[in-house]
Amino acid sequence: MLRRYCRAAATLVAVPVLFVACSDDEPSDENFVTQLCEASSELRTDLEAAIQAASTQTDSGKAVGLLVEPLEKFVKAFKDSDPPDDLDEWHDEASDRLQATVDAFKREQSLSALVGFSDSPIPDPPAEAKQRLRDAAEDVDACDGVAFLKPD
């Protein structure tokens, strides 16, 4: 009886390990741009709703607060995204820059702190990687109509 219980427990532990080992969620250009495009689309949707709500505010502090939430959510999604190995350093630096921009916006309570967010909030990766990511995005449905990288 104990042996059967141990075999069952071992199976329960081994199966998730196999799923993780066989997962295709390896860091890749396609997976990364999918994550970026989904986060960018969600940011756009969330900001549209926040801007609508903020437009009825007479208190600028409350209006800024409504805009901060989707920005912080985007920064978290960007930080949590999984770049290809050659973009790890850029990703860490870009995450820090995005966080600093949102922090400045909260501190200054001024739209001028969000310079650069209008065309794309994501700082440019190295040129060759940028083109590679754009090429990968052509095959990702989530990227249709999404500007996840700044224009050249």
Side-chain angles (χ1 to χ4, degrees):
M1 177 78 155
L2 182 59
R3 184 178 285 166
R4 196 174 335 152
Y5 176 79
C6 289
R7 252 187 262 146
T11 302
L12 289 174
V13 170
V15 169
V17 171
L18 283 174
F19 281 127
V20 169
C22 296
S23 171
D24 68 351
D25 286 332
E26 298 269 328
S28 71
D29 290 347
E30 188 170 307
N31 288 339
F32 184 54
V33 297
T34 299
Q35 293 167 344
L36 295 183
C37 290
E38 288 172 349
S40 295
S41 291
E42 199 167 318
L43 173 65
R44 183 179 59 218
T45 301
D46 291 350
L47 273 179
E48 286 172 357
I51 289 168
Q52 182 71 27
S55 68
T56 63
Q57 288 292 325
T58 55
D59 179 349
S60 64
K62 287 183 180 177
V64 166
L66 290 169
L67 298 174
V68 166
E69 186 177 330
L71 295 172
E72 287 180 329
K73 184 177 171 185
F74 174 78
V75 171
K76 181 178 178 346
F78 184 84
K79 285 180 179 181
D80 291 347
S81 64
D82 195 13
D85 293 340
D86 66 323
L87 292 176
D88 277 339
E89 185 176 330
W90 165 80
H91 182 256
D92 290 342
E93 291 170 3
S95 295
D96 291 345
R97 285 182 52 201
L98 284 169
Q99 186 63 60
T101 300
V102 172
D103 290 345
F105 178 61
K106 289 190 314 191
R107 185 177 54 255
E108 296 171 20
Q109 296 196 2
S110 167
L111 291 177
S112 64
L114 295 178
V115 171
F117 261 62
S118 59
D119 51 4
S120 171
I122 301 171
D124 271 338
E128 67 183 41
K130 184 176 183 178
Q131 188 55 51
R132 200 179 75 214
L133 295 174
R134 281 189 173 149
D135 292 344
E138 290 177 8
D139 298 324
V140 175
D141 290 340
C143 293
D144 288 343
V146 176
F148 69 97
L149 293 172
K150 296 183 185 308
D152 292 326

